Amino acid sequence: MLGLDKKDSTLLIIVVALTMLAPFILNPFPTDSGLAQFNAGYPDLMQRFVIFGIFAIGFNILFGLTGYLSFGHAAFLGVGSYSAVWMFKLLSMNIVPAILLSVVIAGVFALVIGFVSLRRSGIYFSILTLAFAQMSFALAYSVLTPLTNGETGLQLTLDDPRVLGVSQTADGSIPVTNLFGIEMRGAYDMVVGPWSFTFSAGYYVCAVVMLLAFYLSIRIFRSPFGMMLRAIKSNQQRLNYTGLNPKPYTLAAFVISGMYAGLAGGLMAAMDPLAGAERMQWTASGEVVLMTILGGAGTLIGPVLGAGMIKYFENIFSKINDNVLHSWFSFMPDGLEDSVVFIIHPFVGKGWHLTLGIIFMLVVIFLPGGLVEGGQRIARLFRRKKTEEPKSAKTEPAE
């Protein structure tokens, strides 16, 4: 199917099903239940799941295939966001031109940075990319304020000279982003008994783009180009001995990865037309590294799982405060309830980073292949149990 073998086709179908049915899957608990705290099926968070999934998929093409660890990929995310917002301000509120410009500008920016950074490898490459990202952050924050609006961030105004659209609507407000007339903020709520599901146009646009990006990554992984990148990761020195120059391949992987980041940045701006320098900070670059390693570097679906897990912790797990904990353990005697809340308190709410850090540490120690390796181990365990089932007793003729 679509040029993929049976295994990859199955994986793509699973990802499509999970993505399209996300409003149902991420809202397993009734809205009036105490466990509704763990529901994650609202549009803003689902959009972040798929957008950062795109970001992590692109980063995995560089890190997972070539082994080059970049600490500066957030620079391309920020450049993509700024490009998209400028397109909204100057041309049209249609998201297609904005996203295309984001990808192109991020690709050109990645070409320049990659050409310099890839002259070194290992930790020196990582430090160079980090330096470029921090320089980009400093430029966006203070130097290039006419283009980036500095600390405040670049956003739409009522005075924008929009060529193919109006600067303000009939009621005097700023126009909203759209896809050929379909507003990204548009949503439909479906109530089924105690459950409530929201279907957002913005989410499904991002989801379709993520599926296309995922399909492209599969083709890259299975292509001769992908095999060359694996060879670079395996032993670049031996590759040099064969007479092949690995630099064009690593530069191409770097540019493709940067374009993925620019695409994610453009989608972020398309969903919320605002671009700030904080998207280019080193912490954002470190986040995508965590996503990729946590899900499984070098795997196809791993970065998407890692991105979803980190964003879930950031947006859902972080909201569990003391009041929520007391409501959960209210059936206990007062003294015991307070003790349990006191023990759990450092790991939830503002302390969600501590829980995520422990999980990341355990994954690195016991599951070097990330969450994907954990799933594979569970699958092998079930297959082994099936094969070890006792065979039916053979009947022997009576003597």
Side-chain angles (χ1 to χ4, degrees), residues 268-318:
M268 290 178 69
M271 299 304 112
D272 183 13
L274 172 68
E278 70 279 354
R279 290 181 182 174
M280 308 174 81
Q281 269 189 310
W282 66 271
T283 52
S285 297
E287 193 175 48
V288 73
V289 175
L290 292 179
M291 291 174 182
T292 306
I293 296 176
L294 186 62
T299 63
L300 288 168
I301 198 174
V304 180
L305 297 177
M309 184 173 185
I310 288 181
K311 288 303 164 184
Y312 183 86
F313 268 80
E314 180 181 334
N315 292 273
I316 301 297
F317 205 73
S318 63

Side-chain angles (χ1 to χ4, degrees), residues 225-256:
F225 173 70
M227 294 296 293
M228 184 63 69
L229 296 181
R230 285 192 180 89
I232 292 172
K233 181 179 180 179
S234 177
N235 196 317
Q236 189 170 159
Q237 189 173 8
R238 289 183 179 179
L239 194 63
N240 285 325
Y241 290 156
T242 64
L244 293 173
N245 184 8
K247 289 184 179 179
Y249 295 96
T250 52
L251 180 58
F254 191 89
V255 171
I256 293 172

Side-chain angles (χ1 to χ4, degrees), residues 122-142:
I123 188 62
Y124 304 104
F125 167 80
S126 301
I127 292 174
L128 280 173
T129 55
L130 176 61
F132 275 115
Q134 286 303 100
M135 286 192 298
S136 301
F137 167 75
L139 289 172
Y141 193 81
S142 59

Side-chain angles (χ1 to χ4, degrees), residues 189-208:
D189 294 326
M190 183 176 72
V191 178
V192 181
W195 284 272
S196 178
F197 307 103
T198 302
F199 302 89
S200 167
Y203 165 71
Y204 278 102
V205 169
C206 294
V208 170

Side-chain angles (χ1 to χ4, degrees), residues 17-57:
L18 292 176
T19 306
M20 294 295 106
L21 299 176
F24 297 105
I25 298 172
L26 296 177
N27 274 333
F29 305 110
T31 54
D32 56 351
S33 72
L35 294 177
Q37 170 75 33
F38 295 102
N39 286 344
Y42 51 92
D44 289 344
L45 182 54
M46 291 194 298
Q47 289 168 12
R48 296 183 73 82
F49 282 159
V50 293
I51 289 173
F52 278 90
I54 293 171
F55 190 20
I57 289 170

Side-chain angles (χ1 to χ4, degrees), residues 73 161 262 334 345 377 392:
H73 254 53
D334 290 343
H345 169 77
R377 289 187 182 183
S392 56

